[in-house]
């Protein structure tokens, strides 16, 4: 059944006249009459009672009118949904994230995106750096918030959205808290809480290891964890000191003191990036990255 026939049927029903309906449809009356007769033959029932003063719907015609209107609305929804998806204004977006971005950064971005694109269904999944990168590469996630520096798998690129440096996190009762700043050498003989390696050559484990190697220090690692908030929790428990991204110092903790490191190399930066595929990226993923760029003041790669 053609949508054109349904539109003509609705027009005649609403006008109550073939002549008026033909005028509204910008067509001649005879072809319109032929079209309605064709529709009646196709359905197998009479839709209109015809008279000298116009037409009126039969009982089956009245029910058919409701169904025809719904069918036309659904057809319009198909068109609008397809166009919205093509423009990145609707659809399904899957985003992996590391725990560190749940404090401040990701909530701000998600709220901005949902405000601008309310018809996009967001699926958020916590992951490690490696899990997020592999998921983006494999197509099970569209985007991934990850910690940098990190080695990207083939076909994945990183859009840096936040840059940071390490600071020292130590138990609030530690004697070193009397100093306003620390040096890496101050951590030499201290029990250190490190990071489990999330991927070869990348992540916080690699960044901390490389930093101590450059300083000629062999730290005494007594505990290891994957996520930054877990490391800070272990510091809070008095199990040792740690190097953590300085952005974590803004949230504070009664049992943890944060101190800047005054001898960090100029190129010892860390940060957060948004991982995305280099080819075949969906429009809705591109729209999300544009919102991220606007929120943090960077340009999408």
């Amino acid at each position: 059944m053609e949508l054109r026939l349904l539109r003509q049927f609705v027009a005649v029903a609403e006008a109550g006249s073939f002549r008026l309906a033909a005028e509204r449809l910008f067509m001649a009356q005879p072809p319109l009459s032929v079209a309605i007769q064709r529709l009646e033959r196709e359905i197998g029932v009479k839709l209109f009672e015809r008279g000298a003063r116009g037409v009126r719907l039969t009982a089956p015609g009245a029910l058919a009118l409701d169904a025809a209107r719904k069918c036309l609305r659904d057809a319009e929804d198909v068109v609008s949904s397809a166009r919205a998806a093509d423009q990145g204004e609707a659809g399904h977006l899957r985003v992996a994230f590391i725990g560190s971005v749940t404090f401040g950064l990701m909530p701000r971005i998600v709220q901005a995106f949902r405000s601008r694109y309310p018809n996009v269904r967001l699926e958020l999944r916590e992951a490690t750096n490696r899990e997020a990168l592999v998921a983006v590469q494999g197509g099970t996630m569209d985007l991934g918030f990850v910690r940098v520096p990190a080695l990207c798998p083939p076909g994945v690129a990183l859009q840096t959205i936040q840059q940071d440096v390490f600071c020292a996190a130590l138990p609030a009762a530690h004697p070193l808290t009397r100093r306003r700043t620390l040096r890496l050498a101050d951590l030499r003989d201290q029990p250190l809480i490190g990071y489990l390696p999330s991927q070869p050559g990348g992540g916080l484990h690699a960044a901390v290891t490389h930093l101590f190697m450059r300083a000629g220090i062999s730290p005494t690692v007594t505990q290891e964890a994957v996520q930054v908030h877990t490391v800070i929790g272990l510091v809070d428990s008095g199990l040792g000191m740690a190097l953590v991204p300085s952005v974590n110092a803004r949230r504070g903790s009664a049992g943890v003191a944060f101190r800047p490191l005054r001898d960090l190399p100029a190129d010892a930066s860390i940060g957060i990036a948004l991982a995305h595929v280099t080819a075949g990226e969906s429009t809705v993923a591109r729209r999300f990255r544009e919102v991220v760029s606007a929120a943090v003041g960077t340009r999408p790669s």
Side-chain angles (χ1 to χ4, degrees):
M1 185 178 297
E2 298 178 17
L3 292 177
R4 175 177 58 85
L5 290 178
L6 295 182
R7 292 190 183 96
Q8 292 169 341
F9 165 58
V10 171
V12 174
E14 291 178 346
S17 162
F18 278 97
R19 179 182 62 81
L20 291 176
E23 291 176 357
R24 294 176 183 177
L25 293 170
F26 301 100
M27 63 184 297
Q29 181 176 334
L32 179 59
S33 298
V34 171
I36 297 302
Q37 291 170 2
R38 175 186 165 190
L39 180 63
E40 289 177 321
R41 287 196 302 271
E42 187 172 336
I43 296 175
V45 299
K46 191 176 183 180
L47 300 174
F48 291 105
E49 294 288 352
R50 294 157 174 84
R53 295 186 178 182
V55 296
R56 62 183 180 86
L57 288 166
T58 62
L63 292 176
L65 178 61
D66 291 338
R69 284 170 170 161
K70 181 179 184 303
C71 184
L72 291 173
R73 287 196 301 269
D74 290 343
E76 291 174 358
D77 288 344
V78 170
V79 174
S80 61
S81 295
R83 289 175 178 171
D86 183 62
Q87 296 297 317
E89 297 173 353
H92 180 201
L93 184 65
R94 303 159 301 174
V95 182
F97 64 93
I98 57 172
S100 297
V101 301
T102 58
F103 302 100
L105 182 62
M106 192 176 72
R108 177 160 54 98
I109 291 171
V110 168
Q111 288 171 12
F113 183 79
R114 294 189 66 180
S115 175
R116 185 167 180 180
Y117 299 105
N119 295 321
V120 174
R121 181 166 67 89
L122 274 176
E123 178 186 339
L124 305 174
R125 184 183 304 170
E126 186 172 12
T128 64
N129 245 39
R130 179 174 177 78
E131 290 169 346
L133 290 167
V134 170
V136 171
Q137 181 193 37
T140 57
M141 288 279 114
D142 301 298
L143 299 165
F145 287 99
V146 297
R147 175 75 62 185
V148 289
L151 292 181
C152 276
V156 177
L158 296 176
Q159 174 186 339
T160 301
I161 59 177
Q162 184 184 79
Q163 291 186 323
D164 201 358
V165 294
F166 282 117
C167 71
L170 54 159
H174 198 285
L176 287 176
T177 58
R178 292 193 292 267
R179 304 181 188 179
R180 298 183 61 182
T181 63
L182 298 177
R183 296 177 299 120
L184 285 170
D186 294 328
L187 281 64
R188 185 187 304 273
D189 299 319
Q190 300 291 332
L192 191 75
I193 299 166
Y195 299 91
L196 287 166
S198 61
Q199 65 181 68
L204 291 179
H205 171 81
V208 170
T209 300
H210 183 62
L211 191 59
F212 280 123
M213 285 180 61
R214 290 178 63 178
I217 298 171
S218 297
T220 305
V221 178
T222 58
Q223 302 285 338
E224 288 183 314
V226 175
Q227 302 287 6
V228 175
H229 61 267
T230 306
V231 169
I232 294 175
L234 293 174
V235 173
D236 198 354
S237 299
L239 296 177
M241 300 173 62
L243 293 184
V244 301
S246 65
V247 67
N248 293 276
R250 301 173 190 171
R251 295 190 297 274
S253 173
V256 180
F258 298 91
R259 294 293 182 268
L261 296 164
R262 61 178 181 268
D263 59 345
L264 285 176
D267 59 349
S269 63
I270 54 176
I272 300 294
L274 193 58
H276 61 95
V277 292
T278 56
E281 182 181 29
S282 68
T283 306
V284 68
R286 180 72 180 181
R287 293 288 178 262
F288 187 89
R289 294 202 297 118
E290 290 171 352
V291 169
V292 170
S293 298
V296 301
T298 63
R299 291 185 178 182
S301 56

